[in-house]
């Protein structure tokens, strides 16, 4: 069993200028790397799906758990992230079901964006902002440090849920394009969200 780097569902230049070609080449080609994950799980019987792998870290031997948390989390996070992006103008809009869930949880799409943006902007250091489906099927927003994922559960994260949209707020995700201006990156991110994919992710959980 070896994990593989998923192909990008678009060209490296497709997201320019929101995310530039150089950032995409380095981010997908270098930072999203499964080599250390495959080393960490060598000899273990592990599920093929990275989401399943990170959902129960207690199954991983203690001496490898930290490496699987970091590298498995990174693989799961980026594997969700790439398909949630699309060239400006091509991402469509939220399905009726997703829009209703957003309205009921946050009041409006704009209110959701504001809360999500704040989660990403206030995450100290490296991490992710998430829109996820929590207990009772209600949408929630949170952020996690490093490569933690809300699927890791309440032992690891303070916002257990199933993410349907994630935003990488590590500096490697935006520094070439925005330098220290993380809030500008987050604001521009909404121009390249693939709402068709996010709606599919929502349906798969609901
Ligand atoms: Mn990254």
């Amino acid at each position: 069993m070896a994990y593989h780097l998923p192909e990008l569902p678009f060209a490296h230049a497709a997201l320019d200028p929101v995310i530039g070609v150089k950032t995409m080449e380095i981010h997908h080609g270098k930072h999203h790397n499964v080599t250390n994950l495959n080393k960490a799980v060598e000899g273990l019987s592990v599920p093929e799906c990275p989401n399943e792998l990170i959902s129960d870290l207690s199954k991983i031997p203690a001496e490898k758990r930290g490496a699987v948390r970091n590298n498995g989390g990174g693989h799961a996070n980026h594997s969700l992230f790439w398909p949630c992006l699309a060239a400006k103008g091509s991402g469509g809009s939220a399905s009726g079901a997703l829009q209703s869930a957003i309205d009921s949880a946050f009041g409006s799409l704009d209110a959701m964006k504001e809360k999500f943006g704040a989660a990403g902007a206030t995450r100290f250091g490296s991490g992710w902002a998430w829109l996820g489906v929590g207990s009772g099927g209600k949408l929630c927003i949170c952020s996690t440090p490093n490569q933690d994922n809300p699927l890791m559960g309440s032992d690891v994260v303070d916002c257990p849920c199933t993410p349907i949209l994630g935003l990488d707020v590590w500096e490697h995700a935006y520094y070439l394009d925005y330098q220290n201006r993380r809030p500008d990156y987050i604001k521009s991110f909404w121009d390249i969200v693939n709402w068709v994919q996010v709606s599919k992710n929502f349906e798969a959980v609901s």
Side-chain angles (χ1 to χ4, degrees):
M1 225 311 292
Y3 295 99
H4 300 281
L5 182 69
E7 296 234 351
L8 275 183
F10 43 77
H12 286 114
L15 309 178
D16 194 71
V18 174
I19 300 177
V21 62
K22 197 81 194 158
T23 297
M24 283 310 305
E25 283 170 1
I26 297 171
H27 196 175
H28 179 259
K30 306 279 183 202
H31 288 281
H32 186 178
N33 190 313
V34 294
T35 307
N36 289 335
L37 175 59
N38 284 328
K39 260 185 222 158
V41 300
E42 213 173 273
L44 301 180
S45 166
V46 288
E48 202 174 327
C49 168
N51 286 354
E52 224 177 289
L53 172 72
I54 62 165
S55 291
D56 192 356
L57 291 169
S58 70
K59 286 183 181 152
I60 307 295
E63 71 275 12
K64 300 198 166 171
R65 202 171 295 149
V68 171
R69 177 177 173 178
N70 290 333
N71 296 292
H75 183 40
N77 296 351
H78 289 95
S79 297
L80 174 77
F81 184 45
W82 307 129
C84 285
L85 305 175
K88 200 169 172 171
S90 73
S93 53
S95 67
L98 176 57
Q99 184 63 56
S100 301
I102 288 172
D103 289 344
S104 117
F106 310 107
S108 68
L109 184 62
D110 281 348
M112 186 282 284
K113 288 179 177 178
E114 199 171 313
K115 196 170 178 201
F116 183 100
T122 57
R123 163 53 50 197
F124 183 77
S126 300
W128 291 75
W130 304 103
L131 173 66
V133 180
S135 61
K138 199 173 157 84
L139 288 176
C140 55
I141 281 168
C142 66
S143 82
T144 54
N146 305 314
Q147 296 294 5
D148 285 352
N149 181 300
L151 285 171
M152 289 174 181
S154 53
D155 290 350
V156 178
V157 295
D158 55 13
C159 58
C161 67
T162 302
I164 60 169
L165 172 66
L167 175 61
D168 191 338
V169 296
W170 283 60
E171 283 189 347
H172 67 231
Y174 64 85
Y175 213 83
L176 291 177
D177 301 308
Y178 299 88
Q179 294 79 51
N180 60 322
R181 302 186 311 278
R182 188 193 287 183
D184 290 355
Y185 160 66
I186 295 173
K187 203 173 157 210
S188 305
F189 162 70
W190 298 115
D191 290 339
I192 54 164
V193 169
N194 186 341
W195 286 107
V196 175
Q197 181 64 44
V198 179
S199 301
K200 276 187 200 158
N201 295 345
F202 177 66
E203 272 157 42
V205 181
S206 305

